[in-house]
Amino acid sequence: MADLERIRLVILGGAGVSTSSIIKRFLFKIYTDKYRATVEDLFNREYDLGGVTLKVDILDTSGDVQFPAMRRLSIATAHAFMLVYASTSASSFQCVKQCFQEIREQRADYQDIPIVIAGNKSDLANTHREVRLEEVTDWVYCELPRLRAKVLECSAKEDQNVTDLFKTLLSLSRFLPVGSNNDGTSGLKRRSSAYVSASSSRNKNRNVSPFVSGDKKSSLVETVIPTTSSANAKPKPRSRSLIRRASRKTKQQINNASDDCNLQ
C-alpha cells in the first residue's frame, strides 16, 4: 500500500496576473480570457509519485489586500509558495516583492520553504514586456538571503512551462528528484481513490519530508533509540589533538565561505 503525504501550495500575486488561469490550465487543461476576481479558491488532488500518494492542496488567494486575515492564515499554513507576476506589468513584480516580505515577516522558516517565482504572460513579452527575467533572478539570487527558490516564466494562455512550475515546486519540496525528465502525465499521475492510509513498514527507514501536514507527520516521525545505553555511562573524554584538528577544520571552512551570489 502506498504511503500518504500532503503538501499545501499557496499561490500569491497581484490582481490581474492570472493565477487562476495557471491553476486551471494545470488541473483541467482549460483557459479562458474572462476575468473574475478571486477571493479564495481551494483545489484538492491526489497523485502517485513512485509509491507515494501525494495529496496536494492548491490555494488560490485574492490579489486584493482587502482580506488581510485570510492572507495571513494562508501564509501561516503553507508548505510551499508560488509567487506570480506578469511579465507585462512592472507593478505586479512589486506586488511579488511585497508578498515575499509578508512571508519573511510571518514565517521564521522562510529560507527553508520551497518558493517558485512565476512570470506569467510570457506570450506577450516580445511586445509588452515590462519585467526582464534578469531583473527577477538578480533580486532572488543576489539581493535576498539564500532561499529554496527558482524563477520561471510561463504562459497560461499558450500552456508554456505551466506543468514545470508545479514539478519544480515538488522538486524543491523533495517529492520529485531534481532534474526529473518526467512529463506532466508520467510525473504526476492522478489517483482515483479518496484516501490511502500510510504503511508503517515503508516508513521505517525512510526520511520524513518536512512538508508533511502536521497530523500525518506526527504518525510518521520515529524516535531513534540507541541500541546500547546505560544510565550511568559517562562520555569518553576527547583527546586534545582531536579537538585541535576539529578547531582548525572549522576555521578553514569559515575562511573558505563565500558571500557571492549563488545561482541555484
Side-chain angles (χ1 to χ4, degrees):
M1 186 177 293
D3 297 331
L4 177 68
E5 296 192 9
R6 190 162 196 153
I7 184 172
R8 185 177 181 86
L9 166 61
V10 172
I11 301 183
L12 298 170
V17 298
S18 299
T19 57
S20 299
S21 295
I22 291 175
I23 295 172
K24 291 176 181 178
R25 172 65 78 178
F26 173 67
L27 293 177
F28 312 117
K29 306 302 179 184
I30 61 174
Y31 176 83
T32 177
D33 288 320
K34 294 181 180 179
Y35 175 75
R36 180 181 65 87
T38 301
V39 175
E40 191 173 89
D41 292 327
L42 180 64
F43 302 87
N44 308 99
R45 290 293 182 272
E46 287 189 5
Y47 298 101
D48 277 334
L49 295 175
V52 176
T53 297
L54 179 64
K55 298 191 75 172
V56 181
D57 297 332
I58 303 176
L59 181 63
D60 186 14
T61 62
S62 172
D64 198 328
V65 295
Q66 294 182 6
F67 309 97
M70 295 172 61
R71 194 177 186 88
R72 286 194 298 269
L73 180 61
S74 65
I75 291 175
T77 58
H79 298 128
F81 292 100
M82 184 185 297
L83 308 183
V84 183
Y85 68 94
S87 302
T88 56
S89 171
S91 61
S92 69
F93 182 43
Q94 296 303 315
C95 288
V96 161
K97 290 183 176 181
Q98 179 60 37
C99 290
F100 175 77
Q101 187 59 32
E102 293 179 38
I103 296 171
R104 189 174 183 175
E105 292 173 354
Q106 296 183 46
R107 298 288 296 268
D109 60 342
Y110 72 94
Q111 287 181 281
D112 298 321
I113 302 175
I115 301 175
V116 166
I117 293 90
N120 194 25
K121 304 187 181 182
S122 61
D123 54 295
L124 301 175
N126 289 336
T127 55
H128 299 85
R129 179 181 290 275
E130 293 186 8
V131 182
R132 295 182 300 108
L133 183 60
E134 294 80 4
E135 179 183 355
V136 183
T137 55
D138 285 347
W139 172 66
V140 173
Y141 299 131
C142 294
E143 296 182 29
L144 299 180
R146 292 187 178 182
L147 305 172
R148 187 182 293 181
K150 293 292 183 183
V151 179
L152 292 172
E153 287 193 336
C154 67
S155 170
K157 183 177 182 178
E158 300 294 336
D159 196 13
Q160 296 174 355
N161 288 341
V162 173
T163 300
D164 288 341
L165 294 177
F166 294 88
K167 286 177 59 180
T168 299
L169 274 171
L170 293 181
S171 295
L172 292 172
S173 303
R174 304 193 178 130
F175 285 109
L176 286 179
V178 177
S180 172
N181 292 323
N182 291 337
D183 59 24
T185 56
S186 61
L188 297 171
K189 295 181 180 179
R190 174 80 179 277
R191 288 186 62 88
S192 57
S193 60
Y195 179 81
V196 180
S197 62
S199 171
S200 57
S201 61
R202 294 197 179 187
N203 290 325
K204 185 175 181 180
N205 297 318
R206 184 168 167 272
N207 291 328
V208 179
S209 168
F211 306 103
V212 182
S213 60
D215 55 340
K216 206 63 192 175
K217 186 176 181 180
S218 62
S219 66
L220 295 177
V221 175
E222 297 178 1
T223 304
V224 179
I225 303 177
T227 54
T228 59
S229 62
S230 174
N232 299 322
K234 296 181 179 180
K236 295 182 179 180
R238 299 179 65 188
S239 66
R240 294 189 176 183
S241 60
L242 178 60
I243 294 174
R244 285 196 295 269
R245 288 198 300 272
S247 178
R248 286 197 298 270
K249 183 177 180 181
T250 301
K251 290 180 179 179
Q252 183 179 4
Q253 290 175 346
I254 293 174
N255 292 333
N256 291 335
S258 172
D259 292 330
D260 294 339
C261 299
N262 181 29
L263 297 181
Q264 301 177 3

